[in-house]
């Protein structure tokens, strides 16, 4: 943390009422957002207040908080933003009325800049780690590779695009991680805010243009970078616009006693350690990642059940026949039925005995299949539920797809745009 505590109020010039109001409102809103954002801890009382506000003043009678969907752009979230804007304005007015004799709120403003720096740094480093170590935008799975581009959502396109290049995703994560690290230190805070703002502006645009439901959060990270830069805005304006020679200065607030300065430095070190430890799971997942045996997409050509050959065609009434099978995650298999429904099952593959043991999630057996391979043709035979089955399929692996198998080429005589 920074060496920050209250400065001598008498050394401050008296700000205008309007300047005091807007600086106070900005500070209150920053804290309100950080405590209520998409990734913050739930506050039951606030949730009830927001729902009441939406129903009473916006006539949203069905308003409620939707959880565990990954979306931060729900109706509730937009009502929440409106509510904290109004609430922070009211709180600022009340504080100004009670504390009208105060000359300036500059110490609080400077302290809040530090808090905002660490909040943005934590966000940037967390997202950076996720991209560096396969936590976000992993390589495209077989179900994604088999999906038609026209059937993808705009968000799905972004995930497919990022997942197609591990190197590009890694560099994207490195940029976010770098921006976060720069924000942790006073000497690099300005370049860190500029750097992070540029990176997050691109992220926010992707969220807007491709309908990724993190628009509110990413926009606020950009705005928090702007808020951090307000401390240096005159210097930046003079340097970039008026081409004057300028010198960046440190935050003027310091802890008045030595033990406070030491304590704040210890807190900063602990913050960095906890942050890195919190994100180490991405690294562990990457290091412990093992290849999935018999990984691939299996397109069913022939499906024989109890000696009856079932046509492998789309048929809403056919809840028995298989059309596709995806083996892409450890211990899991997805089976696409002719009825266009998908079954998710557990699987244990023995490559020595050449068996697929498929079970339900209550551990009861669903199918026991032996397999034989000849080139790309894989034939399964065994039991599905209580019926004898023979399945002939064509297996595709990642190397068989242009998107994942082409690789990088320095020289292209013709654009590979197909």
């Amino acid at each position: 943390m920074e060496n920050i505590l209250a400065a001598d109020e008498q050394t401050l010039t008296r700000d205008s009422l309007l300047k005091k109001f807007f600086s106070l409102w900005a500070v209150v809103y920053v804290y309100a957002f950080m405590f209520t954002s998409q990734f913050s801890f739930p506050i039951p009382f606030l949730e009830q207040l927001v729902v009441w506000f939406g129903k009473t003043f916006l006539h949203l009678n069905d308003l409620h908080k939707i959880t565990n969907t990954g979306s931060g752009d729900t109706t509730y979230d937009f009502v929440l933003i409106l509510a904290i804007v109004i609430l922070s304005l009211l709180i600022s007015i009340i504080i100004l009325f009670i504390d009208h004799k105060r000359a300036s709120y500059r110490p609080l403003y400077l302290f809040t800049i530090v808090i905002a720096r660490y909040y943005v740094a934590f966000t940037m480093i967390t997202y950076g780690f996720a991209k560096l170590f396969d936590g976000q935008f992993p390589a495209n799975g077989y179900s994604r590779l088999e999906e038609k581009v026209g059937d993808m959502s705009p968000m799905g396109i972004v995930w497919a695009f990022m997942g197609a290049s591990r190197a590009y995703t890694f560099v994207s994560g490195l940029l976010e991680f770098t921006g976060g690290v720069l924000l942790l230190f006073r000497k690099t805070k300005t370049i860190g805010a500029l750097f992070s703002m540029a990176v997050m502006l691109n992220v926010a645009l992707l969220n807007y243009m491709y309908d990724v439901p993190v628009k509110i959060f990413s926009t606020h990270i950009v705005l928090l970078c702007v808020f951090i830069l307000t401390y240096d805005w005159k210097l930046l304006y003079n340097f970039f616009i008026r081409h004057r020679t300028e010198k960046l200065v440190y935050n003027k607030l310091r802890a008045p006693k030595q033990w406070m300065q030491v304590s704040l430095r210890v807190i900063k070190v602990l913050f960095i350690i906890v942050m890195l430890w919190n994100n180490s799971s991405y690294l562990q997942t990457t290091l412990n990642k093992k290849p999935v045996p018999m990984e691939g997409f299996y397109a069913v050509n022939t499906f024989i059940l109890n000696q009856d050959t079932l046509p492998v065609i789309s048929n809403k009434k056919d809840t028995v026949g298989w059309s596709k099978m995806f083996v892409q995650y450890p211990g899991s298999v997805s089976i696409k039925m002719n009825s266009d429904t998908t079954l998710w099952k557990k699987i244990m593959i023995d490559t020595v005995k050449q068996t697929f043991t498929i079970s339900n999630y209550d551990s009861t057996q669903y199918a026991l299949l032996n397999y034989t391979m000849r080139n790309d043709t894989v034939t399964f035979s065994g039991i599905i539920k209580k019926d004898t089955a023979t399945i002939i399929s064509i297996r595709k692996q990642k190397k068989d797809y242009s998107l994942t198998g082409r690789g990088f080429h320095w020289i292209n005589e013709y654009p590979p745009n197909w």
Side-chain angles (χ1 to χ4, degrees):
M1 260 245 187
E2 291 291 328
N3 296 327
I4 297 235
L5 276 179
D8 186 356
E9 188 73 21
Q10 295 178 351
T11 64
L12 299 173
T13 58
R14 179 169 290 276
D15 290 337
S16 66
L17 181 62
L18 196 61
K19 184 176 181 180
K20 287 199 295 181
F21 171 74
F22 278 110
S23 62
L24 183 59
W25 172 74
V27 165
V28 174
Y29 183 82
V30 165
Y31 287 115
F33 169 75
M34 289 191 295
F35 281 110
T36 62
S37 69
Q38 181 177 355
F39 303 105
S40 62
F41 294 104
I43 306 175
F45 170 75
L46 180 65
E47 292 174 9
Q48 295 172 7
L49 180 63
V50 171
V51 171
W52 171 83
F53 175 79
K55 290 182 177 180
T56 304
F57 297 100
L58 304 178
H59 307 292
L60 299 171
N61 296 324
D62 295 328
L63 181 65
H64 61 283
K65 185 174 182 179
I66 302 173
T67 58
N68 301 324
T69 66
S71 173
D73 294 337
T74 65
T75 304
Y76 172 88
D77 292 304
F78 279 97
V79 174
L80 171 63
I81 289 297
L82 178 60
I84 64 173
V85 166
I86 296 172
L87 191 60
S88 59
L89 285 170
L90 292 175
I91 291 173
S92 301
I93 292 171
I94 293 171
I95 293 175
L96 276 176
F97 180 78
I98 296 174
D99 195 29
H100 62 278
K101 293 183 179 180
R102 186 178 296 273
S104 171
Y105 287 99
R106 186 169 177 78
L108 178 60
Y109 156 76
L110 295 177
F111 179 77
T112 305
I113 283 181
V114 177
I115 299 300
R117 276 174 46 205
Y118 281 86
Y119 183 86
V120 176
F122 180 85
T123 302
M124 299 294 288
I125 290 173
T126 299
Y127 271 98
F129 256 97
K131 292 181 179 68
L132 287 171
F133 301 111
D134 257 359
Q136 188 182 29
F137 305 127
N140 290 308
Y142 290 96
S143 54
R144 178 72 75 189
L145 292 170
E146 284 296 315
E147 192 174 357
K148 294 180 181 179
V149 172
D151 292 333
M152 291 183 186
S153 67
M155 179 177 173
I157 288 288
V158 174
W159 257 247
F161 162 74
M162 295 293 291
S165 174
R166 184 71 194 94
Y168 184 81
T169 301
F170 182 89
V171 171
S172 299
L174 187 61
L175 292 174
E176 293 179 352
F177 179 81
T178 301
V181 171
L182 290 172
L183 280 167
L184 291 173
F185 305 96
R186 283 187 299 169
K187 290 185 178 181
T188 56
K189 66 178 177 62
T190 304
I191 185 64
L194 288 168
F195 192 93
S196 298
M197 183 174 66
V199 172
M200 286 306 298
L201 185 60
N202 178 62
V203 173
L205 287 173
L206 282 173
N207 291 342
Y208 276 93
M209 306 310 174
Y210 289 86
D211 199 27
V212 181
V214 199
K215 295 182 281 294
I216 292 175
F217 186 78
S218 59
T219 300
H220 277 77
I221 296 300
V222 174
L223 293 176
L224 284 174
C225 290
V226 174
F227 175 73
I228 294 166
L229 290 169
T230 56
Y231 179 76
D232 298 309
W233 79 267
K234 288 184 180 179
L235 299 175
L236 294 172
Y237 174 79
N238 288 334
F239 181 79
F240 285 109
I241 306 301
R242 305 182 71 179
H243 293 230
R244 290 183 175 179
T245 301
E246 293 287 353
K247 181 180 178 180
L248 295 174
V249 296
Y250 287 150
N251 195 318
K252 297 293 181 63
L253 295 180
R254 297 184 63 84
K257 296 184 179 180
Q258 182 67 27
W259 70 267
M260 292 181 180
Q261 295 181 24
V262 174
S263 298
L264 290 171
R265 290 193 181 100
V266 170
I267 291 172
K268 177 176 182 174
V269 172
L270 290 175
F271 174 83
I272 294 173
I273 292 173
V274 171
M275 180 172 54
L276 294 176
W277 176 260
N278 184 60
N279 290 290
S280 64
S281 59
Y282 297 122
L283 175 60
Q284 294 171 6
T285 300
T286 301
L287 294 176
N288 297 329
K289 191 174 182 179
K290 297 179 180 178
V292 179
M294 293 300 291
E295 180 187 57
F297 161 65
Y298 297 81
V300 177
N301 284 343
T302 305
F303 189 90
I304 303 172
L305 195 68
N306 294 329
Q307 300 183 346
D308 290 331
T309 301
L310 304 180
V312 184
I313 58 174
S314 180
N315 183 352
K316 294 293 183 182
K317 296 181 180 180
D318 184 357
T319 59
V320 176
W322 297 8
S323 62
K324 302 172 184 177
M325 182 168 64
F326 301 93
V327 178
Q328 51 190 340
Y329 305 116
S332 176
V333 62
S334 58
I335 302 166
K336 193 73 172 286
M337 313 294 286
N338 287 335
S339 60
D340 205 33
T341 58
T342 300
L343 302 179
W344 286 90
K345 303 291 182 181
K346 295 194 296 184
I347 190 170
M348 187 167 59
I349 300 173
D350 190 328
T351 55
V352 177
K353 296 180 180 179
Q354 294 191 311
T355 59
F356 274 36
T357 304
I358 303 174
S359 59
N360 301 308
Y361 280 91
D362 61 2
S363 297
T364 57
Q365 184 172 291
Y366 177 78
L368 178 59
L369 303 171
N370 298 299
Y371 67 88
T372 57
M373 293 189 297
R374 184 176 180 181
N375 298 326
D376 293 332
T377 301
V378 181
T379 302
F380 298 92
S381 58
I383 302 294
I384 298 177
K385 295 182 180 179
K386 296 182 180 180
D387 301 310
T388 59
T390 300
I391 304 169
I392 302 174
S393 64
I394 302 298
R395 180 191 180 200
K396 289 181 70 175
Q397 301 177 70
K398 295 286 180 72
K399 61 182 178 63
D400 299 319
Y401 293 89
S402 296
L403 186 63
T404 52
R406 176 175 168 78
F408 174 79
H409 297 77
W410 282 110
I411 299 174
N412 288 288
E413 304 298 350
Y414 300 95
N417 185 17
W418 61 78

